[in-house]
Amino acid sequence: MNLEERIQQSETHIFKAVFPNTTNHYGTLFGGTAMQLMDEVAFITATRFCRQRVVTVSSDRIDFTQPIPEGTFVELVGRVSSIGNTSLKVHVEIYIEEMYDDKREKAVSGVFTFVAIDQNKKPISIV
């Protein structure tokens, strides 16, 4: 399988419902909860790409462009965006989807960097 096929095969989509227990006093998803979900999707994407142990080493700019209201669905999409020798970056986007309407819009985007590690927690090649 070539590199582009591996990137396509590792793309990850997860859907969640936004319930009151994940929202703040404004009735919108906590930013920290959104970041946790993004890191999880990024981890799954990175692992599916290289099929090795990976750890998050950084989260680059995370842009919150729309509040995510209670009573909506969110789709998280993770895609490998760049590959180094021992590290890779995963771009994650969160889309808001109305439950009872076909309205959909991007709410959050960010980039997470992972390093592949061996059993001794030392960086190893991912390619």
Side-chain angles (χ1 to χ4, degrees):
M1 183 177 334
N2 70 36
L3 197 56
E4 187 54 40
E5 289 171 330
R6 283 177 66 193
I7 290 171
Q8 284 181 323
Q9 291 290 324
S10 65
E11 185 171 293
T12 302
H13 297 254
I14 294 179
F15 288 85
K16 297 277 189 181
V18 180
F19 292 118
N21 65 326
T22 61
T23 61
N24 58 30
H25 60 290
Y26 298 113
T28 59
L29 188 69
F30 280 112
T33 302
M35 290 171 63
Q36 176 187 3
L37 293 170
M38 292 173 79
D39 188 32
E40 180 180 346
V41 168
F43 166 78
I44 293 168
T45 304
T47 303
R48 292 179 71 207
F49 176 81
C50 65
R51 298 296 177 180
Q52 296 182 44
R53 291 178 179 89
V54 295
V55 292
T56 308
V57 294
S58 73
S59 57
D60 299 342
R61 182 181 175 127
I62 297 178
D63 294 312
F64 295 85
T65 56
Q66 297 291 326
I68 300 174
E70 171 186 320
T72 58
F73 296 128
V74 291
E75 179 185 13
L76 295 103
V77 181
R79 182 174 173 84
V80 173
S81 58
S82 68
I83 304 153
N85 183 38
T86 61
S87 66
L88 68 150
K89 291 185 182 279
V90 177
H91 185 256
V92 178
E93 296 177 323
I94 300 179
Y95 294 90
I96 305 167
E97 191 173 299
E98 298 290 335
M99 282 193 188
Y100 308 110
D101 193 352
D102 58 5
K103 183 180 175 193
R104 177 184 164 89
E105 62 185 326
K106 185 164 62 169
V108 186
S109 63
V111 177
F112 293 78
T113 303
F114 292 84
V115 169
I117 57 171
D118 63 16
Q119 295 86 342
N120 300 315
K121 300 180 182 161
K122 302 292 183 204
I124 57 173
S125 177
I126 59 170
V127 197

